[in-house]
């Protein structure tokens, strides 16, 4: 679990920096769109990517969820 927790924190920090958001804003967003579950389930692929690519991937996921819910 430590690896997952460390990686989740890394993803959160990278997304926060790329999007110029606060930690609280990112946590709320990740909770709203189940991003933490996504990060854990896709760890194998995501951990090979850089922070910007991970942030872009998360944005794509959020955009897809928003379109589905519209």
């Amino acid at each position: 679990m430590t690896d997952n927790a460390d990686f989740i924190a890394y993803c959160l920090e990278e997304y926060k920096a790329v999007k110029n958001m606060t930690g609280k804003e990112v946590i709320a967003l990740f909770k709203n769109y189940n991003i933490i579950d996504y990060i854990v389930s896709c760890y194998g692929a995501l951990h090979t990517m850089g922070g910007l690519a991970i942030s872009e991937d998360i944005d794509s996921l959020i955009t897809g969820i928003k379109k589905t819910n519209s």
Side-chain angles (χ1 to χ4, degrees):
M1 182 62 179
T2 301
D3 287 342
N4 283 341
D6 289 344
F7 189 66
I8 291 165
Y10 168 76
C11 293
L12 187 144
E13 289 296 327
E14 289 295 317
Y15 194 86
K16 182 178 91 166
V18 167
K19 295 301 208 175
N20 196 29
M21 297 172 72
T22 67
K24 286 183 179 185
E25 290 171 330
V26 175
I27 289 169
L29 182 70
F30 279 23
K31 283 183 179 180
N32 190 43
Y33 291 100
N34 296 316
I35 301 300
I36 293 172
D37 291 339
Y38 172 73
I39 291 169
V40 171
S41 67
C42 295
Y43 173 81
L46 292 174
H47 88 279
T48 65
M49 301 163 59
L52 180 58
I54 291 170
S55 296
E56 290 172 349
D57 190 64
I58 290 170
D59 269 344
S60 293
L61 177 64
I62 291 170
T63 299
I65 292 169
K66 285 179 178 178
K67 285 181 182 177
T68 301
N69 292 336
S70 295

